[in-house]
Amino acid sequence: MSVPCLLSTAARSFTLPGVSGVLLSRFRVLCPCSITRHFCCLFRKMSSRRQMDHLERTASNYRQDGVYPAQVCGIMDESETVKRLRLAVHPDFTFRAGQWVDFFIPGMEKVGGFSVCSSPGLLQKEGVIELAVKYTQHPPAHWIHTKCTMDSHVAMRVGGNFFFDPLPSDPSVDLLLVAGGVGINPLYSILLHAADLLRQNPANAGRGYHIGSTHLCYSAKNTQELLFKKSIINVCKEFPEKFSCDFHVTAQTADINQELQPYMNRGRLSEGGLRRHVDPNTTLCYLCGPPPMIESVVQTLLSLGLSQERILFEKWW
């Protein structure tokens, strides 16, 4: 399926927050009928060629209509293999915790697909989102690790059916978040959003969604690859009666930092570890990680009595 032809239309000027007041003059809002000249060549090429990997895998998923410009305003090493980008976005840009973005790079035909790892609350406060991207030879990820700089311009379109965005009237649930590797990204966004909702409605005072408990099970090769671990622990310490986490490492050779030890487990996720956090009546489980892990955990959850409609997952390759 070819990408629809996108034509240039009227421009708007706006200031991207967090970019030292830089004005992106006449930087356009993009939609199915509009695109900046910067990206016209990219889409002309794509319109006559086969869709790229990410677009194929997510072809049946929900996508917003708008494609929005963004500017890199922060780059940091989250681990030895993962870079974290902070992007200032257009004021009309919105997303739900857990969703991903199509990531368009000027002059590059392949389109990236990266889950947002920040919370909607950060977007509302500072006008920015964050992505954590692992190094691979796939052109968009490779560009982020080798060519992306402060002030680089890109464009993004939000998509995905995998999100947590409860209405105040929705019934309370206990969240079980299960992540493998960089599959933590959308689940970290969900965890941060749940914490934001609790801050907005302390002690479930009736002003918003009634927050249940949130437990994170997160597996990686070693502690270096456990992304956001300090922030996750800080949330658990801030709300010890509501948030908890278990970290799992499958190939750790070095000693584990003393601060992490209370949360650490060696080896893969086990049925016993999941059983403690599954209540068929209240648990809503979100999973993201490699397909084999997802398939194994789903079967375990089903065997523990959790119904299929209470198990939501997203597989990343």
Side-chain angles (χ1 to χ4, degrees):
M1 184 173 67
S2 62
V3 174
C5 180
L6 306 180
L7 304 175
S8 182
T9 189
R12 293 174 58 187
S13 296
F14 64 95
T15 302
L16 288 176
V19 196
S20 304
V22 174
L23 177 67
L24 298 185
S25 178
R26 298 182 64 79
F27 206 0
R28 297 165 175 81
V29 178
L30 311 181
C31 69
C33 295
S34 64
I35 190 166
T36 61
R37 184 180 303 172
H38 205 48
F39 294 97
C40 279
C41 291
L42 168 65
F43 280 93
R44 286 196 197 103
K45 290 179 181 178
M46 290 183 63
S47 65
S48 62
R49 295 191 185 185
R50 181 177 179 273
Q51 272 191 327
M52 299 301 104
D53 295 343
H54 164 67
L55 298 182
E56 286 182 337
R57 289 198 301 266
T58 60
S60 63
N61 282 206
Y62 162 81
R63 275 180 166 81
Q64 292 181 2
D65 289 335
V67 180
Y68 293 99
Q71 186 171 359
V72 176
C73 60
I75 307 174
M76 65 171 287
D77 292 329
E78 189 66 34
S79 75
E80 292 180 357
T81 61
V82 176
K83 281 195 180 291
R84 188 169 179 176
L85 294 189
R86 175 169 282 213
L87 298 127
V89 297
H90 187 275
D92 292 339
F93 182 97
T94 62
F95 78 99
R96 293 169 167 178
Q99 289 186 306
W100 40 256
V101 294
D102 296 330
F103 195 81
F104 301 98
I105 300 166
M108 182 176 293
E109 186 172 334
K110 281 190 180 284
V111 177
F114 307 118
S115 292
V116 181
C117 64
S118 54
S119 70
L122 180 66
L123 173 61
Q124 293 170 4
K125 292 177 183 176
E126 301 185 26
V128 300
I129 68 165
E130 294 184 340
L131 309 174
V133 179
K134 188 168 184 175
Y135 177 83
T136 70
Q137 288 295 324
H138 189 253
H142 190 263
W143 178 87
I144 287 171
H145 277 261
T146 61
K147 296 182 179 179
C148 179
T149 62
M150 291 286 288
D151 300 328
S152 287
H153 291 177
V154 297
M156 297 183 295
R157 175 175 55 201
V158 173
N161 307 317
F162 181 86
F163 57 81
F164 177 66
D165 185 27
L167 297 172
S169 59
D170 285 343
S172 177
V173 296
D174 295 320
L175 292 176
L176 173 59
L177 311 177
V178 183
V182 290
I184 186 62
N185 284 333
L187 303 186
Y188 182 56
S189 177
I190 290 173
L191 181 143
L192 293 177
H193 185 50
D196 284 344
L197 291 174
L198 187 56
R199 294 185 187 103
Q200 293 167 15
N201 187 24
N204 295 311
R207 294 190 296 273
Y209 177 71
H210 184 94
I211 294 290
S213 65
T214 299
H215 181 76
L216 170 68
C217 293
Y218 179 16
S219 176
K221 290 182 180 179
N222 52 57
T223 55
Q224 174 67 24
E225 293 299 313
L226 287 169
L227 310 181
F228 320 122
K229 50 187 173 287
K230 290 185 179 180
S231 296
I232 292 168
I233 290 172
N234 286 340
V235 170
C236 294
K237 288 180 177 179
E238 182 180 358
F239 303 109
E241 295 182 357
K242 289 288 188 178
F243 286 78
S244 57
C245 65
D246 288 323
F247 296 139
H248 296 257
V249 288
T250 58
Q252 179 79 14
T253 55
D255 292 337
I256 294 174
N257 182 287
Q258 187 173 358
E259 182 183 5
L260 296 178
Q261 286 180 4
Y263 308 93
M264 294 303 305
N265 300 272
R266 291 184 181 270
R268 300 184 183 279
L269 298 172
S270 67
E271 178 179 335
L274 292 171
R275 184 188 301 275
R276 294 193 296 271
H277 303 284
V278 172
D279 183 327
N281 297 314
T282 63
T283 299
L284 179 62
C285 183
Y286 288 82
L287 301 92
C288 188
M293 186 206 83
I294 296 298
E295 291 159 10
S296 174
V297 173
V298 166
Q299 291 305 312
T300 298
L301 293 173
L302 291 173
S303 73
L304 293 174
L306 199 61
S307 62
Q308 185 69 61
E309 57 266 24
R310 285 184 169 269
I311 304 172
L312 309 175
F313 59 83
E314 190 157 70
K315 298 177 181 179
W316 284 100
W317 282 256

